[in-house]
RNA sequence: GCGAGAGUGGCGGAAUUGGCAGACGCACUGGACUUAGGAUCCAGCGGGUAACCGUGGGGGUUCGAGUCCCCCCUCUCGCACCA
């Protein structure tokens, strides 16, 4: 054994060995309990960053720990390989996205291997491989058949700098989630996945995912945005047309005094046609087409609107309601039309004040009275109905039901549920993605590619365009094809799929990456799925994690899967920050994993990532902290170095209480540590406290070893303690522990060892420390035997000299005894 | 504005069920070893001379509150004219 700990020698040695022995390769084994452990696979952007190191280190601890506990752990890794950065980098470097991507994969794989993660590399794949995306194209065709994929013309989010459309989830505060540039609305014919068909189930299952962080579920619930209300039809005066609104406040219907339409509302054009208002309204619409989104980023727009010159009729009061176009009404939500109730909606109130429209109070707060003239803001809460005909006197919730029933009877409305969630726009006008497998024929229209013709391979022989726009439309050999129906000349779809489609099912494919008969081998998916533990960043709370849930339900309904949800437990780890900010090139605070590994070794980097903060919190990178981690590993190394020759001659102590005070103390601490570390990892994922427990054990070994060695079974007890420390910390720092394990004479890998169990008897303290309080204040400590009963503890406490001093002559009112904890004497 | 989470030494963080606040680590201080120490080992390390005071602030429940309840403040994240 070397005197000096040198990770540069040890780490590659064991990485090669693990790989050669295929220690982490797994197959289905019905006799064992399976565990599917997964970390979000990376985009091959070039190099691994600290966020990946942290994410994968957390996963690796869980994987190695559970393997040692006897689980059949599947722990795969692969590459989310389609995407725009490849294309942009390729344009810049005048290379090909495929070349760029595969080179990055090569390098990043080597980085992951240098970190010693326990992946089953035989399952690795990249999503840009046609053998992967061909199945995705098949799913698309089957979804098309079921109406779950469809094409429609609508206003979509367009990112000018990315030259492509984005789904709603991919727009953050009006900006593109990738490049942070403003997103504009553009009317385009696009492919969608009907995620809204699953809105209710996606929402409902939020209550059936107890292993998910509450805040992720909340974000998903909010994103789905269910609201219960009614659709109400308003007749347009002098026409047989109706305007349909969605409202959650049917109880305020009697107070609806005007109508607001979104600028994009299809009815606006008809309403103003030939009227003197026509030009003014059209100018207004044009203005908001140009500025609306961008202004929403900077702040709230002032409410503004314009009268269309038309009126509609309030179905319950019969009053004429002027129809306005209003800048704050969203076409995307509800029906794009809002019945305006100025007394009970703040936006409508402001609007009514500005344009001098009538305000009718129809809801009174309980025990108070308000009137329209004195209102300074809308009363938006529930209350008691007034001025509402037969419904006056009802409470809001009751009135909502009653008014809806009345409208239904008259055929002028119905109860509805509205969701904020929109269908998932998946067309991307970029090259580096999976082609959408449809063909356009002048005669037959949209024709799906026959499944037997899959995959529609993305042609690699292309010249990228400097603008970023897809070169596919110009690749004649790709575009020009024949119609599968009529055999006539036809053209292929040149849009590709959103790369979030690939990441929506990669975890399914990991169970059978080489299966060629179909997308998924049921004998494998049935065994491995669902994913037991998923680990990744919170930034995907409503992107990937929502899409993947949706896709799982689709694959279930297509007959591929038997599960309802993909991920049982979800851990969202915090960011790695430095100097109070997220690491970024522009801030110049990036710490490169390669440099850290070079300087300290993978084990030290891993240990620091796990020790500095609990996984769900942000981790503040500190070079001094890293040195602390390195110091601990050196300390462990020296301990083994100093004693390996002597303890190698004996077996680890395995009996009950050993003779000798020091030995007993160390034996007890050893078992306490086994218990603590096991529970911390298994039940709480608190690796930081698990590590600190091992540090305590090592500290105690240093402290008592000389005394222990003077005792009868001392050497055995010392070996037990040292060996336990090595095993317990091995999931965090697998290389150094593998080496030390072998130094102690073991010939097979530490990974194959069973996780130690603790002796409940040994864990117990011989003497319990009991805290004694007088009037709730700590006054003394006493030691009692664990077998002492309440009376005895009480007696010892009251006899304690310090306590007698504090109690003095005062009468003892009450004595509270909590066995094993404390005594509180109330005087 | 709505929703969620958090606030503990100089710092990262412990305290799992209401029961010794500050485990473990970093930084710092003193000492030992040493040609040397940025290695290692040992000791100390919330404030206060002390009684005592201390978990963002103020109330409350309790024998006992970092932990439970009410009010307030601050910060972070998400959504944001959602009808």
């Amino acid at each position: 054994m070397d005197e000096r700990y040198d990770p540069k020698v040890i780490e590659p040695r064991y990485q090669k060995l693990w790989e050669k022995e295929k220690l982490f390769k797994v197959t289905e084994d019905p006799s064992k309990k399976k565990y599917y452990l997964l970390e979000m696979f990376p985009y091959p952007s070039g190099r691994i960053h600290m966020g990946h190191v942290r994410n994968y280190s957390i996963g690796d601890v869980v994987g190695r720990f559970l393997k040692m506990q006897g689980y059949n752990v599947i722990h795969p890794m692969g590459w989310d390989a389609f995407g725009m950065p490849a294309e942009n980098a390729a344009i810049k470097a005048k290379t090909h996205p495929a070349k760029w991507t595969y080179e990055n994969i090569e390098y990043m794989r080597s980085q992951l291997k240098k970190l010693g993660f326990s992946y089953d590399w035989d399952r690795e794949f990249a999503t840009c491989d046609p053998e992967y995306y061909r199945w995705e194209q098949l799913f698309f065709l089957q979804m098309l058949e079921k109406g779950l994929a469809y094409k429609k013309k609508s206003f979509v989010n367009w990112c000018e700098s990315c030259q492509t459309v984005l789904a709603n989830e991919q727009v953050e505060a009006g900006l593109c989630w990738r490049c942070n540039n403003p997103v504009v609305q553009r009317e385009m014919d696009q492919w969608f996945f009907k995620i809204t068909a699953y809105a209710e189930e996606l929402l409902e299952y939020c209550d059936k995912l107890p292993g998910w962080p509450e805040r992720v579920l909340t974000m998903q619930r909010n994103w789905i945005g269910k609201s219960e209300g009614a659709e109400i039809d308003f007749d347009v005066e002098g026409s047989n047309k109706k305007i349909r609104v969605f409202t959650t406040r049917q109880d305020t219907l009697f107070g609806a005094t005007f109508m607001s339409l979104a600028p994009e509302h299809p009815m606006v054009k008809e309403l103003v046609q030939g009227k003197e208002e026509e030009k003014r309204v059209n100018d207004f619409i044009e203005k908001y087409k140009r500025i609306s989104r961008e202004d929403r980023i900077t702040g709230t727009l002032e409410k503004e609107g314009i009268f269309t010159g038309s009126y509609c009729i309030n179905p319950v009061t019969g009053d004429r309601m002027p129809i306005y176009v209003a800048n704050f009404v969203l076409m995307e939500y509800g029906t794009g039309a809002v019945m305006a109730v100025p007394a009970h909606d703040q936006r409508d109130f402001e609007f009514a004040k500005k344009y001098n429209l009538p305000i009718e109070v129809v809801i009174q707060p309980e025990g108070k009275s308000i009137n329209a003239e004195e209102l300074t803001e809308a009363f938006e809460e529930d209350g008691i109905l007034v001025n509402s005909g037969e419904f006056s006197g009802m409470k809001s919730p009751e009135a909502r039901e009653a008014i809806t029933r009345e409208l239904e009877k008259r055929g002028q409305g119905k109860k509805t549920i509205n969701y904020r969630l929109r269908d998932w726009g998946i067309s991307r006008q970029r090259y580096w993605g999976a082609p959408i497998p449809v063909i356009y024929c002048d005669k037959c229209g949209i024709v799906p590619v026959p499944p037997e013709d899959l995959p529609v391979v993305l042609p690699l022989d292309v010249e990228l365009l400097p603008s970023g726009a897809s070169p596919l439309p110009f690749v004649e050999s790709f575009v020009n094809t024949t119609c599968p129906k009529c055999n006539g000349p036809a053209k292929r779809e040149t849009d590709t799929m959103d790369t979030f489609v690939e990441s929506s099912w990669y975890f399914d494919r990991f169970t059978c990456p080489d299966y060629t008969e179909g997308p998924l081998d049921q004998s494998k998916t049935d065994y491995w799925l669902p994913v037991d533990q998923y680990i990744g960043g919170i930034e995907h709370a409503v992107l990937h994690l929502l899409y993947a849930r949706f896709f799982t339900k689709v694959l279930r309904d297509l007959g591929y899967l038997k599960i309802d949800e993909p991920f049982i437990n979800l851990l969202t780890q915090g960011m790695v920050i430095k100097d109070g900010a997220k690491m970024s090139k522009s801030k110049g605070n990036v710490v490169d994993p390669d440099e850290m590994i070079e300087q300290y070794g993978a084990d030290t980097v891993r240990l620091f990532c796990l020790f500095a903060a609990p996984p769900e919190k942000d981790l503040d990178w500190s070079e001094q902290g890293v040195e602390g981690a390195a110091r601990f590993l050196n300390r462990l190394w020296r301990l083994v170095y100093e004693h390996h020759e002597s303890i190698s001659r004996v077996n680890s102590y395995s009996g009950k209480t050993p003779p000798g005070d020091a030995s007993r103390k160390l034996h007890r601490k050893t078992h306490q540590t086994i218990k603590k570390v096991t529970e911390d990892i298994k039940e709480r994922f608190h690796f930081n406290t698990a590590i600190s427990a091992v540090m305590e054990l090592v500290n105690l070994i240093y402290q008592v070893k000389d005394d222990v060695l003077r005792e009868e079974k001392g050497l055995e007890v010392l070996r037990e303690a040292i060996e336990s420390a090595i095993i317990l910390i091995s999931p965090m720092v697998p290389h150094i522990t593998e080496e030390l394990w072998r130094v102690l004479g073991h010939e097979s890998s530490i990974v194959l060892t069973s996780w130690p169990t603790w002796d409940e008897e040994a864990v117990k303290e011989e003497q319990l420390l009991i805290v004694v309080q007088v009037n709730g204040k700590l006054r003394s400590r006493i030691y009692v035997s664990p077998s002492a009963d309440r009376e005895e503890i009480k007696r010892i406490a009251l006899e304690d000299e310090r306590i007698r001093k504090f109690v003095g002559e005062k009468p003892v009112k009450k004595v509270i005894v909590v066995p094993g904890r404390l005594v509180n004497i109330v005087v």
Side-chain angles (χ1 to χ4, degrees):
Chain A
M1 183 187 182
D2 282 336
E3 184 175 357
R4 207 174 63 89
Y5 164 49
D6 186 0
K8 276 210 186 71
V9 175
I10 296 165
E11 292 183 354
R13 180 191 300 161
Y14 292 110
Q15 284 156 12
K16 274 180 213 140
L17 192 87
W18 296 332
E19 188 155 0
K20 198 180 113 220
E21 295 184 352
K22 293 218 182 259
L23 267 169
F24 303 105
K25 185 179 171 66
V26 281
T27 50
E28 301 71 46
D29 179 353
S31 71
K32 275 192 187 168
K33 230 176 148 181
K34 73 95 182 176
Y35 194 93
Y36 190 164
L37 168 68
L38 184 69
E39 299 113 43
M40 289 180 185
F41 67 163
Y43 177 78
S45 57
R47 330 185 103 224
I48 294 291
H49 56 68
M50 273 304 167
H52 291 125
V53 175
R54 186 178 188 200
N55 188 174
Y56 302 152
S57 297
I58 292 166
D60 209 45
V61 175
V62 178
R64 288 173 181 268
F65 169 78
L66 289 172
K67 183 177 169 66
M68 291 168 83
Q69 281 227 324
Y71 287 83
N72 197 23
V73 179
I74 184 173
H75 190 200
M77 183 43 74
W79 311 96
D80 188 12
F82 270 139
M84 256 159 9
E87 218 172 321
N88 296 338
I91 293 167
K92 216 167 148 189
K94 298 205 184 319
T95 172
H96 194 281
K99 185 168 181 283
W100 185 86
T101 299
Y102 280 107
E103 281 173 3
N104 286 345
I105 288 174
E106 281 302 309
Y107 188 73
M108 288 168 78
R109 185 195 298 114
S110 79
Q111 287 186 299
L112 293 182
K113 289 192 175 177
K114 274 201 294 186
L115 282 156
F117 296 132
S118 60
Y119 301 124
D120 178 357
W121 283 106
D122 289 350
R123 293 176 186 271
E124 176 193 5
F125 60 78
T127 56
C128 61
D129 186 338
E131 287 309 305
Y132 179 76
Y133 67 71
R134 65 179 299 174
W135 304 116
E136 193 167 305
Q137 292 174 332
L138 181 68
F139 295 147
F140 179 93
L141 296 175
Q142 292 170 346
M143 288 171 76
L144 189 63
E145 214 177 294
K146 288 196 112 187
L148 289 170
Y150 65 94
K151 199 175 192 192
K152 78 168 175 199
K153 194 171 185 179
S154 65
F155 282 94
V156 291
N157 310 298
W158 175 263
C159 175
E160 189 56 38
S161 102
C162 292
Q163 286 284 302
T164 189
V165 160
L166 301 169
N168 285 6
E169 291 78 15
Q170 295 157 28
V171 180
E172 294 171 349
L175 304 176
C176 170
W177 76 293
R178 265 200 193 286
C179 70
N180 265 322
N181 284 301
V183 168
V184 297
Q185 297 300 296
R186 207 163 137 171
E187 198 170 21
M188 291 175 81
D189 206 12
Q190 295 280 295
W191 288 100
F192 287 87
F193 280 165
K194 206 169 191 171
I195 191 169
T196 54
Y198 289 85
E200 189 57 43
E201 195 192 335
L202 288 166
L203 181 67
E204 186 193 316
Y205 271 81
C206 284
D207 296 331
K208 299 180 190 171
L209 291 169
W212 281 43
E214 198 50 45
R215 74 186 174 128
V216 174
L217 294 172
T218 305
M219 277 156 89
Q220 294 218 349
R221 285 190 195 104
N222 291 344
W223 189 262
I224 295 166
K226 178 179 181 172
S227 41
E228 297 185 39
E231 279 178 355
I232 304 174
D233 290 334
F234 288 72
D235 291 322
V236 177
E237 191 183 61
S239 132
N240 56 0
K241 297 273 178 187
K242 289 172 191 299
I243 294 173
R244 176 166 291 182
V245 303
F246 171 76
T247 181
T248 55
R249 292 299 303 270
Q250 306 93 293
D251 52 323
T252 64
L253 181 54
F254 283 81
T257 55
F258 61 100
M259 173 69 66
S260 306
L261 301 181
E264 305 90 347
H265 198 284
M267 206 116 150
V268 175
K269 282 212 167 74
E270 280 175 56
L271 290 172
V272 297
Q273 206 158 33
K275 293 217 169 70
E276 56 170 305
E277 284 87 356
E278 186 168 5
K279 182 160 168 22
R280 294 214 315 275
V281 171
N282 284 339
D283 289 349
F284 181 87
I285 292 169
E286 280 309 308
K287 180 177 157 198
Y288 280 101
K289 248 188 205 161
R290 280 199 315 276
I291 66 163
S292 67
R293 280 274 163 172
E294 276 165 71
D295 260 12
R296 266 178 217 166
I297 304 155
T298 48
T300 315
L301 220 54
E302 206 200 325
K303 283 169 195 35
E304 218 183 336
I306 190 156
F307 181 46
T308 60
S310 296
Y311 292 85
C312 61
I313 306 298
N314 184 314
V316 286
T317 62
D319 289 346
R320 291 173 89 209
M321 298 162 58
I323 304 172
Y324 275 74
V325 175
N327 65 345
F328 64 87
V329 180
L330 306 169
M331 192 60 220
E332 310 92 85
Y333 186 79
T335 60
V338 180
M339 67 174 208
V341 185
H344 305 294
D345 182 289
Q346 187 57 25
R347 292 157 306 180
D348 297 341
F349 182 81
E350 285 167 34
F351 199 87
K353 281 283 177 199
K354 181 163 180 174
Y355 296 102
N356 219 357
L357 292 157
I359 300 173
E360 286 289 336
V361 171
V362 292
I363 309 284
Q364 291 285 5
E366 258 177 278
K368 256 195 263 170
S369 174
I370 54 173
N371 63 72
E373 292 71 42
E374 286 164 20
L375 277 186
T376 53
E377 57 176 14
F379 172 70
E380 296 190 316
E381 277 140 66
D382 279 1
I384 295 171
L385 273 72
V386 293
N387 302 323
S388 296
E390 57 183 296
F391 306 101
S392 294
M394 285 185 180
K395 288 187 179 176
S396 291
E398 180 194 356
R400 281 195 279 272
E401 294 292 326
I403 291 176
T404 310
R405 266 200 308 277
E406 174 62 22
L407 290 168
E408 274 172 4
K409 209 157 63 187
R410 292 205 238 151
Q412 278 185 292
K414 62 171 201 284
K415 206 169 173 172
T416 1
I417 291 165
N418 190 61
Y419 299 92
R420 205 183 76 112
L421 180 70
R422 315 273 22 119
D423 277 340
W424 175 14
I426 57 141
S427 302
R428 293 291 176 273
Q429 291 67 42
R430 296 289 296 225
Y431 162 72
W432 191 234
I436 295 172
V438 296
I439 290 168
Y440 298 101
C441 170
D442 283 341
K443 268 193 252 166
C444 313
I446 297 175
V447 184
V449 171
E452 58 273 20
D453 292 351
L454 295 180
V456 175
V457 177
L458 182 73
L460 294 180
D461 185 19
V462 298
E463 196 73 36
L464 296 180
L465 304 170
S467 70
S470 174
L472 276 184
F474 309 102
V475 181
E476 299 204 354
S477 58
F478 177 78
V479 176
N480 295 322
T481 184
T482 51
C483 171
K485 255 193 195 163
C486 71
N487 263 322
K491 296 205 181 289
R492 281 189 196 282
E493 168 70 70
T494 56
D495 280 355
T496 52
M497 280 191 254
D498 183 1
T499 56
F500 278 107
V501 182
E502 281 93 62
S503 53
S504 290
W505 72 287
Y506 75 105
F507 43 90
D508 302 323
R509 185 70 184 173
F510 270 146
T511 66
C512 50
D514 301 319
Y515 190 55
T516 52
E517 310 295 305
L520 298 170
D521 181 347
Q522 291 219 7
S523 68
K524 310 253 160 117
T525 52
D526 286 354
Y527 177 79
W528 292 113
L529 292 173
V531 172
D532 293 277
Q533 181 66 54
Y534 198 29
I535 308 171
I538 186 89
E539 66 271 19
H540 287 291
V542 267
L543 286 158
H544 161 58
L545 290 169
L546 186 66
Y547 296 143
R549 292 184 59 213
F550 158 66
F551 220 75
T552 300
K553 292 172 194 295
V554 170
L555 294 186
R556 174 198 64 194
D557 293 345
L558 290 175
Y560 290 108
L561 299 176
K562 291 187 182 142
I563 54 169
D564 296 312
E565 287 287 337
F567 316 122
I568 304 286
N569 296 296
L570 173 69
L571 176 68
T572 47
Q573 105 264 4
M575 284 187 303
V576 180
I577 58 176
K578 186 160 184 272
D579 311 322
K582 189 178 175 176
M583 286 186 187
S584 73
K585 269 187 208 150
S586 59
K587 291 204 187 72
N589 61 348
V590 178
V591 178
D592 179 34
D594 277 353
E595 281 173 33
M596 287 294 120
I597 296 167
E598 172 67 23
Q599 200 176 339
Y600 297 100
D603 282 339
T604 292
V605 177
R606 293 171 54 132
L607 187 66
F608 173 73
C609 283
L610 295 161
F611 180 63
E616 63 277 10
K617 276 206 178 184
D618 284 350
L619 182 150
D620 211 340
W621 192 266
S622 139
E623 187 94 18
Q624 282 165 336
V626 179
E627 275 173 29
R631 198 143 50 215
F632 171 72
L633 293 182
N634 274 295
R635 198 165 144 82
L636 182 66
W637 183 273
R638 280 195 309 275
L639 181 66
V640 176
Y641 179 75
E642 206 179 315
H643 297 283
H644 74 283
E645 280 178 12
S646 57
I647 62 176
S648 288
R649 292 195 294 267
V650 299
N651 285 322
S652 201
Y653 187 79
S654 60
K656 291 284 166 190
T657 317
D661 286 348
S663 293
R664 262 205 307 281
K665 191 170 174 187
L666 184 57
H667 177 70
R668 190 185 313 127
K669 183 73 173 176
T670 301
H671 283 259
Q672 287 171 338
T673 307
I674 294 169
K675 180 176 179 176
K676 169 119 182 97
V677 172
T678 307
E679 289 174 351
D680 278 355
I681 296 179
K682 191 159 198 166
E683 281 149 37
R684 310 200 302 157
F685 283 5
H686 278 202
F687 313 115
N688 55 336
T689 52
I691 293 165
S692 82
V694 178
M695 286 173 166
E696 280 185 56
L697 175 60
V698 170
N699 288 347
L700 188 75
I701 296 172
Y702 269 101
Q703 217 180 88
V704 302
K705 63 190 165 75
D706 295 340
D707 293 336
V708 168
L709 288 176
R710 275 185 228 113
E711 294 171 351
E712 198 194 322
K713 289 281 179 186
L715 203 55
E716 284 92 332
V717 171
L718 182 64
R719 179 170 178 135
E720 183 194 29
I722 291 176
E723 207 163 275
S724 298
I726 291 170
I727 299 173
L728 294 174
I729 202 86
S730 72
M732 294 85 169
V733 286
H735 310 88
I736 183 176
T737 47
E738 184 83 82
E739 171 71 11
L740 297 178
W741 182 247
R742 285 160 197 262
V743 163
L744 293 185
H746 298 280
E747 276 165 18
S748 65
S749 172
I750 193 166
V751 177
L752 300 171
T753 313
S754 295
W755 189 258
T757 51
W758 66 91
D759 174 359
E760 203 57 67
E761 277 307 302
V763 167
K764 284 189 190 147
E765 297 283 346
E766 290 169 21
Q767 289 282 291
L768 288 178
L769 173 69
I770 303 285
V771 174
V772 186
Q773 298 178 333
V774 177
N775 286 343
K777 286 197 170 115
L778 176 66
R779 293 305 184 194
S780 185
R781 295 182 173 89
I782 55 172
Y783 285 94
V784 301
S785 133
S787 60
D789 61 13
R790 277 168 190 275
E791 278 310 308
E792 195 178 350
I793 296 169
K794 182 173 163 184
R795 186 179 52 77
I796 297 167
L798 286 168
E799 277 169 8
D800 184 83
E801 213 169 298
R802 296 179 41 126
I803 293 304
R804 280 162 72 173
K805 208 175 82 201
F806 273 101
V807 173
E809 296 302 310
K810 285 161 265 175
V812 175
K813 268 200 214 155
K814 198 173 171 186
V815 179
I816 289 129
V817 180
V818 183
R821 292 277 186 188
L822 61 55
V823 177
N824 189 11
I825 300 159
V826 186
V827 296

